[in-house]
Structure formats: structure tokens, C-alpha cells
Amino acid sequence: VHAEIVLPDGLDAPWARDRALLWNAAEFAERRCDARVAREFEIALPHELSDAGRLALTRAFATDLSNRFGAAVDFAIHVPQGKSDERNIHAHVVMTTRVITADGPGEKTLIERENRWLIDRSLPTT
């Protein structure tokens, strides 16, 4: 029904709003062939909400993730097709594992860091 890429507030990175450029850059930024380039969340959306309400809810979730971790968040809202339960409206939310900068992917986001790395820098582990 809807697909969108959300970037951290105040970031001017037009390249990251292009899905192909974003995910190719995310792949290229990794050194290992088996590296994690994204985290995926699948969220159920209340069927009682309007289309606009579901979009606002998903966009707010994506914006929070993007601002909290500095990552690009790509989301798509799906409605059931065929014989599926018509109430199974959901969103696929995919977040880069690296901070997004104006020039390309940067360092790994805090969610990707090991607890030891976080503790050494007096950062929370949760």
C-alpha cells in the first residue's frame, strides 16, 4: 500500500532516499560476505485504524528508530491478498546496521555494538 525511506531528522542525504543506492551502499560498506546489513521488524497494524492512521503509526515507529540509532529505515505497509485474513495488515520495517551520513554509511549503530564496547564507553547495554 505504501513504501517509504525515513532518515534521521536534519540529515541531508538525498542518495539514501533511493532504495537501490541505499541498499547497495549498505552492502558495499561491509567487509565480510556474511555481514549483517540490516535489521528487520515485522509489525502488525490495527485493522481498526484508517489507512492514514496506520501510515502515521508506522512512520512514527520508523522515525523513532531512525533518530535513535542514526540509521536509514525503509518500510512498506502490506494489506492481505487472496484468502488471507483481511485484518492482517502489517508493515515490514528494515533498518540499516550503519549510521547514515550525507556521504554514505558510517560506523555501526549502537544496537549493533557488543556489550563490552558499550560498557567501555559508559553507554547503556539495553
Side-chain angles (χ1 to χ4, degrees), residues 80-111:
Q81 301 287 327
K83 296 180 181 180
S84 297
D85 186 338
E86 65 188 29
R87 298 170 297 174
N88 185 21
I89 303 165
H90 60 280
H92 294 267
V93 180
V94 185
M95 179 177 86
T96 60
T97 57
R98 291 187 175 270
V99 172
I100 296 300
T101 70
D103 300 322
E107 295 296 316
K108 287 287 192 178
T109 63
L110 290 180
I111 198 171

Side-chain angles (χ1 to χ4, degrees), residues 24-124:
N24 282 332
E27 289 276 350
F28 187 73
E30 300 302 333
R31 292 171 189 80
R32 294 175 48 148
C33 65
D34 62 347
R36 179 183 307 192
V37 297
R39 284 193 176 265
E40 182 179 11
F41 309 88
E42 186 172 342
I43 56 175
L45 298 170
H47 71 277
E48 296 89 354
L49 287 179
S50 65
D51 289 343
R54 287 188 289 269
L55 175 58
L57 183 65
T58 306
R59 188 178 284 142
F61 179 72
T63 300
D64 182 60
L65 283 174
S66 183
N67 287 331
R68 183 180 302 178
F69 297 108
V73 180
D74 187 355
F75 73 85
I77 298 174
H78 296 254
V79 295
Q81 301 287 327
K83 296 180 181 180
S84 297
D85 186 338
E86 65 188 29
R87 298 170 297 174
N88 185 21
I89 303 165
H90 60 280
H92 294 267
V93 180
V94 185
M95 179 177 86
T96 60
T97 57
R98 291 187 175 270
V99 172
I100 296 300
T101 70
D103 300 322
E107 295 296 316
K108 287 287 192 178
T109 63
L110 290 180
I111 198 171
E112 298 299 322
R113 298 294 185 165
E114 294 177 346
N115 283 345
R116 182 182 45 197
W117 187 93
L118 295 168
I119 291 167
D120 288 347
R121 288 158 180 81
S122 301
L123 296 170

